[in-house]
């Protein structure tokens, strides 16, 4: 009886410890100026999105021309670091992007097809932050006194969904500089904001990260998703769906579309970490499906990604 109680107690301690370790982990964040701030200050650039012109933030030029931005990002990073959050520095990520080759800028198949990534998608792919914090601010002047109003928005880097928010105005000051004014304004709201970030990250631990998976077929392949493979003679679409079911957290996903040439899986929940405890992103998760199809059925495919949260597997060619 004592032995049974000892084993039960030991297992209980292990479970509690694992739970505490999960909660102890914090999301990696990257602080960026908000789209609204970039627009108000003229730091936008045109991006050709498959023939459609779209405005996107020009972070590089903003850092080069606006010293206030450097001070605000540095102070916000400092505040978040003091709260224990791992950081990705926006300036460093931008420099990494500049050093990438043109080949890395666009993923192209041998037959000429491509998946288009916006500059923001590429930024997220390089940074690999869990959460993007967008910040807006404004310096208010009343007589000789100055104060700062701010807005913080926490966005899931994989889905762009807002998962935290805070806003407020600091106390007026005669002499304080912008970083000090910002810190005073933010600190009174930071605990609630961080609790929202952590709550979201804890949900990811329990229920998995939300991503999107698209399956397509090359015209040149000569087969499609209704073609049967393997000893069980199952349709390829069924084989793929079975793999997705087996490799999602609590089997959580939606098959939004399924035809002979296209499948779309949305609200796909993938683990935050692989079996070795390393961070798992959408690309590495989808590589598992790519490898499974090649090893079991000798099916060749091209894996392409868009940002952090979307993977596309095009079957029949590299």
């Amino acid at each position: 009886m004592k032995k049974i109680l000892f084993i039960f107690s030991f297992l209980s301690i292990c479970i509690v410890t694992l739970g505490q370790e999960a909660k102890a982990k914090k999301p990696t964040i990257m602080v960026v100026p908000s789209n609204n701030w970039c627009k108000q200050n003229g730091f936008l650039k045109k991006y050709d999105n498959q023939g459609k012109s779209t405005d996107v933030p020009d972070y590089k030029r903003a850092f080069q021309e606006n010293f206030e931005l450097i001070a605000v990002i540095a102070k916000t990073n400092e505040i978040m670091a003091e709260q224990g959050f791992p950081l990705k520095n926006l300036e460093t990520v931008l420099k990494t992007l500049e050093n990438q080759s043109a080949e890395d800028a666009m993923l192209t198949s041998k037959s000429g097809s491509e998946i288009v990534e916006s500059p923001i998608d590429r930024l997220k792919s390089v940074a690999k932050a869990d959460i993007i914090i967008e910040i807006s601010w404004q310096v208010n002047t009343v007589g000789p006194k100055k104060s700062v109003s701010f807005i913080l928005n926490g966005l899931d880097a994989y889905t762009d969904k807002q998962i935290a928010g805070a806003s407020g105005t600091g106390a007026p000051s005669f002499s304080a500089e912008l970083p000090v004014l910002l810190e005073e304004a933010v600190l009174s709201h930071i605990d609630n904001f961080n609790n929202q970030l952590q709550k979201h990250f804890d949900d990811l631990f329990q229920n998995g990260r939300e991503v999107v998976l698209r399956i397509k077929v090359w015209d040149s392949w000569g087969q499609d998703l209704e073609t049967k493979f393997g000893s069980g003679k199952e349709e390829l679409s069924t084989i793929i769906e079975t793999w997705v079911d087996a490799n999602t957290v609590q089997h959580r996903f939606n098959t939004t579309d399924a035809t002979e040439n296209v499948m779309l899986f949305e609200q796909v929940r993938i683990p935050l970490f692989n079996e070795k405890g390393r961070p798992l992103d959408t690309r590495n998760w989808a590589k598992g499906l790519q490898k499974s199809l090649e090893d079991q059925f000798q099916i060749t495919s091209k894996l392409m990604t868009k940002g952090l949260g979307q993977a596309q597997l095009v079957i029949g060619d590299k």
Side-chain angles (χ1 to χ4, degrees):
M1 183 66 181
K2 289 182 178 179
K3 186 176 181 180
I4 293 174
L5 288 174
F6 173 78
I7 293 172
F8 178 77
S9 299
F10 177 74
L11 290 174
S12 298
I13 292 171
C14 289
I15 291 170
V16 170
T17 301
L18 287 172
Q20 290 173 341
E21 286 179 355
K23 289 187 176 295
K25 288 183 179 292
K26 289 183 177 289
T28 301
I29 65 172
M30 182 170 68
V31 181
V32 305
S34 72
N35 290 2
N36 180 262
W37 183 90
C38 290
K39 181 178 180 180
Q40 293 296 324
N41 290 273
F43 295 117
L44 296 177
K45 61 182 178 180
K46 296 292 183 182
Y47 160 65
D48 184 5
N49 185 8
Q50 296 178 302
K52 183 179 179 180
S53 181
T54 305
D55 289 329
V56 296
D58 190 345
Y59 297 138
K60 178 183 176 182
R61 190 164 66 86
F63 271 110
Q64 290 173 338
E65 300 179 11
N66 192 292
F67 180 78
E68 191 175 271
L69 171 63
I70 299 173
V72 167
I73 296 292
K75 176 53 67 174
T76 309
N77 281 345
E78 181 183 319
I79 293 171
M80 298 309 295
E82 289 174 352
Q83 300 293 316
F85 288 93
L87 293 168
K88 292 295 180 76
N89 185 276
L90 177 58
E91 278 194 282
T92 302
V93 174
L94 290 172
K95 290 175 182 176
T96 301
L97 276 171
E98 281 189 324
N99 292 333
Q100 286 186 335
S101 66
E103 181 181 353
D104 294 329
M106 195 70 70
L107 297 171
T108 307
S109 76
K110 291 178 181 177
S111 40
S113 297
E114 60 188 29
I115 183 169
V116 178
E117 274 198 311
S118 74
I120 305 304
D121 290 331
R122 290 186 58 215
L123 181 77
K124 290 179 180 179
S125 296
V126 172
K128 287 185 169 58
D130 298 301
I131 294 171
I132 304 295
I133 295 179
E134 291 189 341
I135 184 167
S136 301
W137 69 95
Q138 176 180 293
V139 178
N140 310 305
T141 303
V142 179
K145 293 184 178 182
K146 291 183 179 181
S147 65
V148 167
S149 298
F150 76 94
I151 300 174
L152 290 176
N153 286 321
L155 307 176
D156 185 302
Y158 283 66
T159 64
D160 288 329
K161 293 180 180 178
Q162 181 170 336
I163 46 88
S167 62
T169 300
S173 171
F174 284 104
S175 58
E177 297 181 350
L178 174 59
V180 177
L181 291 172
L182 179 68
E183 183 175 26
E184 292 175 349
V186 169
L187 284 180
S188 60
H189 301 270
I190 199 66
D191 287 342
N192 183 53
F193 182 72
N194 289 346
N195 287 338
Q196 293 177 62
L197 297 181
Q198 191 63 49
K199 183 179 179 181
H200 173 71
F201 197 60
D202 290 343
D203 175 72
L204 298 186
F205 258 103
Q206 182 176 353
N207 299 310
R209 195 189 298 283
E210 184 178 332
V211 303
V212 173
L213 172 66
R214 289 181 176 84
I215 307 294
K216 294 185 178 181
V217 176
W218 294 117
D219 292 338
S220 57
W221 188 32
Q223 302 182 79
D224 56 37
L225 297 173
E226 293 181 349
T227 304
K228 295 183 178 180
F229 291 87
S231 57
K233 295 297 180 182
E234 288 186 308
E235 290 187 357
L236 182 55
S237 60
T238 301
I239 293 170
I240 292 172
E241 193 165 33
T242 299
W243 186 93
V244 172
D245 180 75
N247 289 274
T248 47
V249 177
Q250 301 176 19
H251 314 286
R252 296 179 65 177
F253 67 95
N254 287 333
T255 307
T256 307
D257 193 13
T259 69
E260 67 272 17
N261 293 314
V262 175
M263 295 184 78
L264 175 61
F265 299 97
E266 296 183 304
Q267 296 178 317
V268 179
R269 292 293 195 123
I270 68 172
L272 262 67
F273 302 96
N274 62 19
E275 63 279 359
K276 296 181 180 179
R278 296 171 183 168
L280 181 66
D281 59 19
T282 314
R283 180 176 180 81
N284 287 325
W285 176 79
K287 276 184 179 179
L289 173 58
Q290 183 184 39
K291 187 175 187 303
S292 178
L293 294 177
E294 188 166 357
D295 290 348
Q296 294 188 56
F297 310 107
Q298 292 73 56
I299 295 175
T300 303
S301 59
K302 175 75 175 181
L303 176 60
M304 295 173 276
T305 54
K306 185 176 182 182
L308 287 171
Q310 298 185 44
Q312 178 170 284
L313 198 64
V314 189
I315 295 173
D317 191 9
K318 283 282 190 180

